[in-house]
């Protein structure tokens, strides 16, 4: 159980009586909701400031692997002494303009951190803890203690979602009682078992399995097919409502399954609806060019009615669930255990907008094709 | 097999989607329950189920008809029947009742505030009234309701002979403080203090009836016990020593008023009394106040079901000043929360008398009275079920009074206004308090 009390003590270790400061009536910062899913928006409100006061609203997160990430925006309180992050303009910081979720997606490692860090939650069963605080002034806001702060939880797993270890196959996230449409979730070439998107998809009502298909020691496509069948046959899954989500390298097995894997894989034999999401500034994979090519092939084959595309200018390779920070580059351990800095591409604001927009459309696509409506059937 | 034979059912089940936002909320936050992708005109029942820590089960349900878009929005649509009717966003929580076959006199109170209340919200086909447990719902979600916001710390306190639990908000402080006194019902109840801390007020739930010292020596606490609790708050490094309030419910109100007026040690910023009275031997200790009520116990009345009505024990309001806390001497704002159907304490009569005393003394500008028709004695934080009667100290059945709908509205309204009142007095927020909350005579019509 994560220790919220210890968090407060570690972060603010200068507890002493400050009644003279309090007599100036501190501001009140509130966030709604205080506990939300990672793809839910929140509202950050600061009240009881003197009017016209420059303040910095800051987020701080201590990641599972021990690094500190922060984001901040510069604001000025209005005539009522209020700053409303959802409505007001940030005039500087890690984001500018009217950005309700800027305190999350514009996070970057705090000054002095290693280069090439990437923020990824490892333990799905506990929330991401983000401290939202308000500080006096703009430049130099770090010099003083926060005027007020609040702790916010961001969850990948909704209440009731269960994480089940499926031996040698991956992790199945279920939400009782079922039955549910199913999803096979395939990550990229970074390897390992990446759980967070599966957890989030389960929170949206899909029984989802993350699969580590790179270190299984079997031919990838066979292994992926076995996993797909496992999901289909699961008693809590509706057999004819199973889809596949693939990122990066994972899109190859996904396409393979979409083309009915009992035959040689070719795009023109795809028989299921297909959604391609591409970042046009993807420096890792030629995803835009690939999407164009798939489009042309399917058009020639007469099955392009199955294809939907989302192309995002100035977005990089790692289109992740919304409000996660953007990394233009990060360190990557290659198959022969060498560390390299990989350029993923993208500019922060367009990339963050792409994450938010694509996630909504991915969920909608999955719901449309996996959760039928009776009207459509009749 | 399970999967083969259920094609039609599966399709229907797959169709209807249910969402509750937020899925993790504080106990006093509203949620939005949305059913979508049903057929237009589809009749359905939305059901809430909760299994208490004490092993009892509670449920609520309501009947809806999907609109032309196949949607039901509980915040906007009308319940046609069930445990509540009409447009009630939070009805599935405040209309919870023990399932058929439960023991009589149950009350829903969370003991462990460090875990959430887990409520299962489900959708069933048709307008149903029973047998939910034997059916498979069309859709189901689990919702968490928390007394503690993230970062709130719970700290058991045993110093200075106190038996109490302190809840400190997240952040570095210093925070305003509050002393929270419950009623005569029993062991230490923490949830209101936890919720207040979730709103930024460091709150101490104080056990003044069965603290460790009383359990060991058999002697009840003296009035200095409350002052020790106040001093504890003052000296706490995360609490501002000049911004401390006191809140009492029922019997707790009696000691709250006594200390607010007569204590030389306690300089309270403001006081809230819920369902209480100023009638007591003013020089008396806890034991003597209880003794005074004991002496009048022959005034207890009984309903036809043998439930005890205790409101007459302190009536008529005495004229002898040694039996009424002299609220004319009060120097800080006072909010009285009064239920007009309070069958346990004579709160309406006491409030009227206190108002008159303060008007004569010239300090009635400090007084705010919230008065709720058809509300019962136990005005608790919102969206928890109303109980008209329940077991008191596991021995007798007490009548609290109130009707479910009006009582639930009173809880919601009173809590909102209590929070505004506390915030404005503890933070010095310059707003027109009078305009916001005034003497409210709440109309349920």
């Amino acid at each position: 159980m994560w220790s919220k009390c210890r968090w407060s003590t570690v972060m603010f270790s200068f507890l002493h009586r400050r009644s003279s400061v309090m007599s100036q009536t501190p501001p009140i910062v509130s966030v709604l909701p205080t506990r939300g899913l990672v793809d839910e928006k929140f509202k950050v409100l600061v009240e009881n400031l003197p009017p016209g006061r420059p303040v910095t609203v800051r987020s701080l997160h201590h990641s599972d692997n021990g690094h500190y990430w922060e984001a901040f925006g510069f604001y000025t309180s209005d005539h009522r002494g209020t700053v409303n992050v959802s409505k007001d303009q940030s005039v500087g910081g890690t984001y500018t303009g009217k950005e309700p979720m800027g305190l999350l997606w514009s996070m970057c490692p705090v000054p002095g951190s290693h280069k090439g860090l990437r923020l990824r939650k490892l333990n799905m069963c506990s929330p991401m803890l983000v401290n939202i605080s308000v500080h006096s002034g703009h430049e130099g806001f770090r010099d003083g203690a926060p005027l007020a702060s609040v702790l916010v939880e961001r969850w990948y797993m909704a209440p009731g979602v269960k994480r089940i270890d499926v031996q040698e196959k991956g992790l199945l996230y279920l939400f009782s009682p079922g039955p549910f449409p199913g999803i096979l979730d395939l990550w990229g070439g970074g390897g390992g078992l990446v759980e967070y998107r599966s957890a989030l998809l389960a929170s949206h009502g899909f029984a989802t399995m993350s699969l580590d298909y790179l270190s299984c020691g079997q031919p990838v496509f066979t292994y992926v097919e076995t996993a797909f069948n496992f999901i289909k046959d699961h008693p809590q899954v509706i057999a004819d409502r199973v889809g596949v989500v693939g990122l990066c390298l994972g899109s190859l097995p996904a396409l393979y399954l979409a083309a009915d894997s009992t035959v040689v894989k070719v795009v023109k034999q795809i028989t299921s609806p297909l959604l391609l999401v591409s970042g046009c500034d993807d420096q890792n994979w030629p995803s835009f060019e690939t999407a164009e090519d798939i489009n042309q092939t399917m058009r020639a084959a007469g099955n392009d009615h199955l294809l939907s595309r989302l192309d995002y200018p100035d977005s990089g390779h790692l289109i992740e669930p919304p409000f996660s920070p953007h990394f233009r580059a990060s360190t990557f351990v290659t198959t022969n255990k060498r560390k390299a800095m990989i350029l993923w591409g993208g500019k922060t604001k367009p990339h963050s907008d792409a994450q938010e927009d694509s996630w909504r459309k991915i969920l909608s696509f999955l719901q449309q094709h996996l959760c039928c409506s009776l009207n459509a059937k009749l | 097999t399970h999967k083969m034979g259920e094609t039609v059912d599966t399709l229907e089940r797959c169709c209807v989607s249910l969402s509750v936002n937020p899925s993790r909320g504080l106990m006093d936050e509203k949620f939005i329950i949305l059913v979508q992708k049903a057929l237009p005109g589809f009749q359905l029942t939305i059901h809430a189920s909760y299994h208490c820590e004490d092993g009892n089960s509670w449920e609520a349900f309501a009947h809806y008809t999907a609109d032309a878009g196949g949607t039901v929005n509980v915040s906007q649509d009308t319940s046609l029947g069930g445990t509540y009717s009409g447009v009630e966003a939070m009805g599935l929580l405040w209309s919870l009742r023990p399932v058929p076959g439960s023991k009589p006199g149950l009350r829903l109170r969370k003991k462990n505030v460090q875990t959430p209340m887990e409520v299962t919200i489900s959708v069933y086909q048709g307008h149903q009234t029973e047998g939910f447990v034997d059916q498979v719902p069309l859709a189901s979600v689990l919702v968490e309701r928390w007394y503690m916001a993230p970062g709130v710390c719970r700290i058991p306190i045993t110093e200075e002979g106190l038996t109490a639990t302190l809840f400190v908000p997240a952040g570095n402080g210093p925070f305003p403080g509050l002393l929270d006194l419950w009623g005569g019902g029993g062991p230490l109840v923490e949830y209101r203090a936890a919720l207040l801390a979730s709103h930024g007020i460091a709150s101490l739930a104080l056990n003044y009836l069965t603290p460790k010292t009383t359990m060991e020596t058999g002697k009840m606490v003296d009035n200095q016990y409350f002052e020790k609790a106040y001093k504890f708050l003052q000296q706490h490094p995360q609490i501002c020593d000049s911004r401390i309030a006191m809140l009492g419910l029922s019997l707790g109100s009696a000691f709250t008023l006594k200390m607010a007026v007569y204590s030389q040690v306690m300089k309270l910023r403001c006081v809230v009394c819920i369902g209480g009275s100023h009638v007591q031997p003013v020089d008396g200790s806890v034991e003597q106040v209880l003794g005074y009520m004991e002496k009048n116990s022959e005034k207890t009345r009984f309903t036809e079901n043998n439930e005890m009505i205790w409101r007459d024990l302190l009536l008529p309001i005495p004229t002898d000043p040694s039996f009424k806390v002299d609220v004319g001497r009060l120097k800080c704002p006072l909010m009285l929360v009064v239920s007009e159907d309070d069958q346990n304490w004579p709160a309406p009569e006491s409030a009227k008398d206190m108002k008159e005393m303060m008007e004569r003394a010239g300090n009635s500008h400090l007084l705010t009275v919230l008065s709720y028709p058809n509300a019962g004695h136990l005005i608790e934080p919102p969206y928890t079920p109303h109980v008209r009667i329940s077991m008191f100290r596991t021995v007798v059945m007490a009548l609290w009074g109130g009707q479910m709908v009006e009582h639930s509205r009173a809880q919601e309204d009173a809590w909102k206004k209590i929070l505004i009142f506390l915030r404005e007095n503890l933070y010095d927020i310059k707003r027109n308090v009078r305009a916001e909350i005034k003497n409210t005579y709440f109309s349920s019509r």
Side-chain angles (χ1 to χ4, degrees):
Chain A
M1 175 151 164
W2 64 102
S3 171
K4 297 169 214 161
C5 291
R6 236 186 297 139
W7 164 266
S8 303
T9 316
V10 162
M11 292 313 300
F12 308 107
S13 55
F14 44 85
L15 297 176
H16 57 270
R17 290 180 57 190
R18 302 203 343 256
S19 52
S20 57
V21 173
M22 178 83 195
S23 66
Q24 290 157 36
T25 73
I28 300 165
V29 59
S30 56
V31 179
L32 273 179
T34 47
R35 291 180 173 93
L37 289 181
V38 293
D39 60 357
E40 275 172 20
K41 289 192 165 180
F42 59 23
K43 297 193 180 127
V44 178
L45 190 65
V46 187
E47 297 172 284
N48 206 35
L49 287 163
R53 181 63 59 95
V55 291
T56 299
V57 182
R58 181 209 200 196
S59 61
L60 184 65
H61 169 66
H62 190 198
S63 65
D64 283 356
N65 59 1
H67 300 286
Y68 287 94
W69 293 71
E70 67 169 4
F72 50 92
F74 298 152
Y75 294 92
T76 302
S77 60
D78 66 11
H79 63 281
R80 291 167 308 169
T82 295
V83 170
N84 185 338
V85 173
S86 302
K87 302 203 167 120
D88 299 345
Q89 304 273 333
S90 160
V91 299
T94 56
Y95 66 94
T96 51
K98 184 169 90 161
E99 296 291 351
M101 302 303 289
L103 286 164
L104 290 181
W105 57 250
S106 75
M107 273 186 165
C108 45
V110 295
S113 301
H114 294 308
K115 294 243 172 318
L117 292 177
R118 192 169 158 185
L119 183 61
R120 308 183 93 183
K121 188 108 188 18
L122 301 172
N123 177 3
M124 292 305 117
C125 298
S126 66
M128 185 179 165
L129 292 178
V130 181
N131 193 278
I132 308 279
S133 54
V134 60
H135 302 248
S136 204
H138 290 169
E139 314 293 346
F141 73 87
R142 281 179 231 277
D143 298 336
L147 301 173
S149 67
V150 69
L151 193 65
V152 172
E153 291 178 5
R154 306 288 292 170
W155 289 82
Y156 281 95
M157 282 169 65
V161 169
K162 290 200 276 254
R163 178 185 179 279
I164 300 166
D165 226 308
V166 176
Q167 257 182 332
E168 295 165 45
K169 285 185 177 57
L171 284 141
L172 189 60
Y173 280 87
L174 285 181
F175 170 71
S176 54
F180 305 102
I183 295 180
L184 179 60
D185 187 16
L186 305 173
W187 269 91
L193 197 51
V194 180
E195 301 183 23
Y196 49 87
R197 193 170 57 194
S198 300
L200 202 50
L201 286 167
S203 299
H204 285 278
F206 301 99
T208 309
M209 186 153 93
S210 319
L211 189 70
D212 178 4
Y213 56 91
L214 286 181
S215 51
C216 56
Q218 295 178 37
V220 170
F221 293 145
T222 314
Y223 189 60
V224 165
E225 234 180 327
T226 310
F228 187 84
N229 289 329
F230 173 84
I231 297 175
K232 261 180 46 170
D233 296 337
H234 196 283
Q236 274 176 284
V237 176
I238 305 165
D240 59 350
R241 296 270 177 262
V242 184
V244 188
V245 177
L247 173 108
C248 181
L249 192 65
S251 41
L252 289 180
L255 287 168
Y256 171 77
L257 287 169
D260 183 3
S261 52
T262 53
V263 299
V264 170
K265 56 181 196 322
V266 274
V267 158
K268 54 191 178 189
Q269 283 170 327
I270 281 173
T271 52
S272 341
L274 170 65
L275 175 67
L276 294 178
V277 183
S278 315
C280 301
D281 191 38
D282 190 336
Q283 298 299 320
N284 190 252
W285 274 56
S287 46
F288 178 74
E289 291 85 343
T290 311
E292 285 282 287
D293 192 68
I294 291 175
N295 205 347
Q296 277 170 30
T297 311
M298 289 177 76
R299 191 175 306 131
N303 64 348
D304 62 334
H305 60 281
L306 293 169
L307 178 64
S308 311
R309 283 177 60 180
L310 299 172
D311 300 311
Y312 294 101
D314 287 329
S315 296
H317 179 65
L318 299 170
I319 298 193
E320 302 226 40
F323 319 130
S324 338
H326 164 247
F327 329 95
R328 191 163 165 77
S330 72
T331 52
F332 187 92
V333 179
T334 61
T335 42
N336 45 6
K337 305 280 195 284
R338 294 236 302 267
K339 249 195 183 173
M341 191 74 85
I342 306 272
L343 183 69
W344 308 110
K347 300 194 178 103
T348 299
K349 171 78 173 118
H351 186 93
S352 303
D353 288 344
Q355 289 189 153
E356 193 180 339
D357 187 70
S358 62
W359 182 250
R360 200 172 44 238
K361 290 176 176 158
I362 289 168
L363 283 178
S364 182
F365 177 83
L366 291 169
Q367 277 154 3
Q368 185 194 343
H369 294 289
L370 296 180
C371 305
C372 61
S373 100
L374 257 180
N375 284 335
K377 282 277 156 189
L378 294 170
Chain B
T1 67
H2 168 89
K3 285 167 80 75
M4 291 285 287
E6 282 200 330
T7 319
V8 172
D9 277 352
T10 303
L11 268 179
E12 281 176 350
R13 205 165 300 134
C14 165
C15 291
V16 170
S17 87
L18 171 67
S19 66
V20 181
N21 279 299
S23 53
R24 292 180 174 94
L26 287 181
M27 286 298 295
D28 58 359
E29 272 177 36
K30 286 190 161 180
F31 54 28
I32 296 176
I33 300 177
L34 207 55
V35 179
Q36 293 171 299
K37 294 196 266 174
L39 283 175
F42 190 67
Q43 291 193 334
L44 52 90
T45 302
I46 304 184
H47 179 268
S49 166
Y50 174 58
H51 300 293
C52 264
E53 299 155 312
D54 59 11
N56 291 299
S57 293
W58 294 63
E59 69 171 2
F61 55 89
H63 299 149
Y64 291 92
T65 302
D67 66 12
T71 296
V72 172
N73 180 337
V74 172
S75 303
Q76 292 169 3
D77 298 342
T78 305
S79 158
L80 306 163
T83 54
Y84 67 91
S85 56
V87 180
E88 298 291 352
M90 304 304 289
L92 283 165
L93 290 183
W94 54 250
S95 74
L96 281 169
R97 61 192 191 188
V99 296
S102 299
K103 283 198 302 263
L106 293 176
R107 194 170 155 190
L108 199 154
R109 311 185 90 181
K110 194 139 196 340
K111 291 198 186 62
N112 180 0
V113 297
Q114 297 184 95
T115 58
M117 185 177 164
E118 289 188 338
V119 181
T120 303
I121 308 278
S122 311
V123 182
Y124 292 89
Q125 189 169 347
H127 287 169
Q128 310 207 36
T129 53
E130 57 184 1
F132 296 98
V133 113
D134 303 319
Q135 299 177 54
V136 181
L138 299 178
S140 191
V141 301
L142 189 68
V143 175
E144 291 179 1
R145 305 288 293 172
W146 290 81
Y147 280 104
M148 283 170 71
V152 168
C153 276
R154 175 187 178 270
I155 307 164
I157 305 296
T158 49
E159 301 81 295
E160 308 282 342
L162 296 170
T163 301
T165 310
L166 178 67
F167 290 91
V168 183
N172 49 331
F175 306 103
L178 183 141
L179 188 51
D180 183 17
L181 299 190
W182 274 90
L188 189 59
V189 178
E190 299 185 357
Y191 51 86
R192 192 173 54 204
L195 200 51
L196 287 167
S198 301
H199 287 278
I201 302 170
S203 301
L204 187 73
L206 181 69
N207 186 345
Y208 60 93
L209 283 179
T210 55
K212 191 155 174 282
T213 51
T214 299
M215 302 307 280
E216 284 171 356
T217 65
K219 280 167 57 171
M220 305 220 73
V221 303
D222 56 18
N223 292 334
Q224 281 68 48
Y225 182 79
F226 300 102
E227 291 177 340
K228 274 201 219 133
Y230 172 85
K231 284 203 278 233
F232 169 82
L233 284 174
Q234 267 201 313
Q235 287 160 8
H236 194 281
Q238 279 177 285
I239 295 175
C240 179
D241 57 5
S242 60
R243 289 171 191 272
I244 297 176
M246 198 161 170
L247 187 154
L249 171 101
S250 188
L251 182 65
S253 293
F255 303 109
T256 299
L257 286 168
K258 190 210 280 300
M259 303 314 292
V261 170
Y262 298 116
S263 171
Q264 299 298 314
V265 169
M266 293 170 79
K267 302 279 172 262
L268 298 168
R269 214 46 194 222
C270 64
V271 172
V272 179
C273 290
I274 305 172
S277 174
H278 58 324
V279 175
Q280 57 182 279
V282 299
D283 290 328
S285 62
V286 171
E287 190 165 12
Q288 283 155 344
V289 169
L290 288 173
Y292 176 79
M293 298 177 71
E294 264 287 314
K295 259 206 310 247
N296 291 315
S297 59
E298 83 276 2
K299 291 188 191 169
T300 304
R301 285 185 284 127
F302 293 86
T303 65
E304 59 201 18
N305 297 319
N306 251 356
E307 294 134 5
M308 308 185 103
I309 301 170
W310 280 318
R311 70 183 327 273
D312 298 337
L313 265 56
L314 298 179
L315 292 175
I317 305 285
T319 46
D320 181 348
S322 58
F323 286 98
K324 307 200 278 195
V325 171
D326 185 3
V327 287
R329 286 168 50 175
L330 196 57
K331 301 242 184 332
C332 68
L334 167 65
M335 173 178 269
L336 296 177
V337 181
V338 171
S339 302
E340 291 170 22
D341 191 36
D342 191 332
Q343 297 296 323
N344 195 254
W345 279 62
E349 294 89 335
S350 305
K352 180 165 177 284
D353 191 67
M354 281 192 261
K355 185 160 187 273
E356 284 163 9
M357 288 172 82
M358 290 177 81
E359 278 163 355
R360 280 196 298 272
N363 66 344
S364 63
H365 60 283
L366 294 173
L367 178 64
T368 305
V369 180
L370 306 179
S371 189
Y372 299 100
N374 285 324
H377 180 65
L378 300 170
I379 300 260
E380 302 228 40
Y383 316 133
T384 44
H386 161 251
V387 282
R388 193 171 159 74
I389 56 149
S390 76
M391 289 295 283
F392 181 78
R393 296 197 193 159
T394 69
V395 176
V396 294
M397 205 71 90
L399 179 72
W400 308 112
Q403 301 298 326
M404 181 182 68
V405 175
E406 290 96 325
H407 187 94
S408 302
R409 297 225 200 292
Q411 290 192 155
E412 190 180 355
D413 188 74
W415 183 249
K416 194 166 67 216
K417 290 175 176 162
I418 288 169
L419 287 180
I420 293 174
F421 178 78
L422 287 172
R423 183 188 264 209
E424 287 178 339
N425 285 288
L426 291 171
Y427 278 90
D428 267 348
I429 292 176
K430 309 256 177 303
R431 213 185 291 171
N432 189 345
V433 176
R434 286 288 175 199
E436 291 252 11
I437 53 182
K438 270 178 66 151
N439 288 320
T440 296
Y441 290 86
F442 190 87
S443 171
S444 57
R445 308 226 191 303

